[in-house]
Each structure stands twice: as structure tokens, then as C-alpha cells.
Amino acid sequence: MKQILLTMMAAVAICFTGHAQGTKSVEKGKVLVAYYSATGTTKKVAGLLATATGGTLHEIQPEKTYTSADLNWHDKSSRSSKEMADSKSRPAILKNLKNADSYDVIYIGFPIWWDEAPRVINTFIESYGFAGKTVIPFATSGGSSISNSEKVLKKTYPKLNWQAGKLLNYATKEDVTKWVNK
């Protein structure tokens, strides 16, 4: 009886191990870490996240790069101020993401501007769709939380399977790994 029980337990353990290994490798091949970074802060976090997930790293690039004058939030006539004042603004991006449909999980990272995701994030989502995909936002910010950005994105794109995002200011490799593996 003990022999049969031990054999059955070993078989179950082998099945679980094989399934877990197979699932992990499939998920890694289907993770996209897309990010927009104006100053390099979000880029650094995106790199850590791509390493932690084994995902493909993709930079969301505006067709026209933002200058420091464009990013001057104190100037109401700056490019970023005008874009953020208009919820329908969709700055053009370079559409260079290959096989967008092949990803199941998409992390989208951005700096928070005016308590929201920059409008280039809207352009990115609308350019590739991602309907039915799992989308997880992450952000960096000098003073805002991610909660309003998440709320606005979820309302704007209800067909996406949004998961809870995270503000990753000053995140370390350990912080990001812990978040991904929660």
C-alpha cells in the first residue's frame, strides 16, 4: 500500500513540476514591457521589469521627441501642457512594434503627467489595440500616485483586462521582482 501511495505522489509531483515549468516558459515568451520615458527614469524601471518577467522590452517613441521646453509643465503653452489639457490629443508615435498580437501580458510604463498617463500612451494603446489582453500599468512620478492614471485608462479602454498597477519610484531589482512574483 505504501509503495502504491508513494508512486502516486511521485507521479503527481512530476506532473505539477512539468506543468509549472511549461507554463512559466510560455508566459515569459508572451510578456511585453512597453514604456515611454521622457527623462530616463521610467526607462530604468522598464529594464528591471523586463528582466524580472523575461519579457520583451519596447520603447514607445513619439515621432517628434520632446524637448525640455516641451516638458515645461510651468508653461501652459508648452507641448506637454497643451496635450494634457486636451483629452483627445494623440501625439504621433513610431509604430515599430512587431507581432503585437502575440503578447498575452502587456506592462505599460510611463511618467505621470498632470495626474495621468501622457497622451502618447493613449496613442500606443489605440495603435495596437490589445483588446482582451492583460494590461498592467506601472509608472514613475515626482508627486502623484498611480491611482488616477489607472482609473482614467480603465475608463477609456474598458475592453482591456486591466490588472492593478504600481508606482515604481526608485525601484530596485528586488522591488520589481517582488511585485512581479506576488
Side-chain angles (χ1 to χ4, degrees), residues 2-60:
K2 280 186 180 181
Q3 183 68 20
I4 293 171
L5 187 56
L6 287 174
T7 303
M8 287 175 58
M9 288 175 60
V12 169
I14 290 169
C15 288
F16 280 130
T17 303
H19 175 65
Q21 288 173 345
T23 301
K24 192 171 186 178
S25 64
V26 169
E27 287 176 3
K28 280 187 175 186
K30 295 186 178 185
V31 173
L32 174 67
V33 178
Y35 71 93
Y36 167 69
S37 187
T39 64
T41 304
T42 308
K43 178 180 182 174
K44 178 184 174 200
V45 174
L48 295 172
L49 188 53
T51 299
T53 61
T56 302
L57 188 62
H58 173 75
E59 181 179 7
I60 301 167

Side-chain angles (χ1 to χ4, degrees), residues 31-37 40-50 53 56-60 106-112 116-118 121 135-141 145-147 149-150 153 162-169 171 176 179-180:
V31 173
L32 174 67
V33 178
Y35 71 93
Y36 167 69
S37 187
T41 304
T42 308
K43 178 180 182 174
K44 178 184 174 200
V45 174
L48 295 172
L49 188 53
T53 61
T56 302
L57 188 62
H58 173 75
E59 181 179 7
I60 301 167
I106 298 101
Y107 287 87
I108 299 179
F110 50 87
I112 297 176
E116 292 184 35
I121 298 302
V135 181
I136 307 166
F138 66 98
T140 57
S141 174
S145 75
I146 194 172
S147 61
S149 298
E150 286 182 296
L153 288 169
W162 291 99
Q163 299 298 307
K166 187 155 181 80
L167 190 65
L168 294 169
N169 289 339
V176 173
W179 176 53
V180 167

Side-chain angles (χ1 to χ4, degrees), residues 49-174:
L49 188 53
T51 299
T53 61
T56 302
L57 188 62
H58 173 75
E59 181 179 7
I60 301 167
Q61 298 174 298
E63 276 188 4
K64 182 182 174 195
T65 304
Y66 289 88
T67 66
S68 57
D70 292 335
L71 297 172
N72 183 356
W73 59 278
H74 293 292
D75 179 1
K76 290 183 181 182
S77 65
S78 74
R79 179 177 161 201
S80 59
S81 294
K82 288 179 183 177
E83 288 173 2
M84 295 309 293
D86 179 4
S87 64
K88 295 181 192 247
S89 176
R90 297 297 184 264
I93 62 170
L94 300 178
K95 295 179 184 165
N96 55 4
L97 176 61
K98 306 279 190 256
N99 303 316
D101 289 336
S102 69
Y103 298 100
D104 295 316
V105 177
I106 298 101
Y107 287 87
I108 299 179
F110 50 87
I112 297 176
W113 292 359
W114 292 260
D115 205 25
E116 292 184 35
R119 302 291 181 224
V120 296
I121 298 302
N122 298 88
T123 306
F124 175 74
I125 292 170
E126 292 169 14
S127 294
Y128 295 103
F130 303 123
K133 305 289 185 174
T134 297
V135 181
I136 307 166
F138 66 98
T140 57
S141 174
S144 299
S145 75
I146 194 172
S147 61
N148 192 61
S149 298
E150 286 182 296
K151 183 176 96 178
V152 171
L153 288 169
K154 287 177 183 180
K155 183 179 177 185
T156 306
Y157 306 104
K159 292 183 179 180
L160 303 184
N161 179 19
W162 291 99
Q163 299 298 307
K166 187 155 181 80
L167 190 65
L168 294 169
N169 289 339
Y170 313 107
T172 64
K173 179 181 176 183
E174 292 76 24

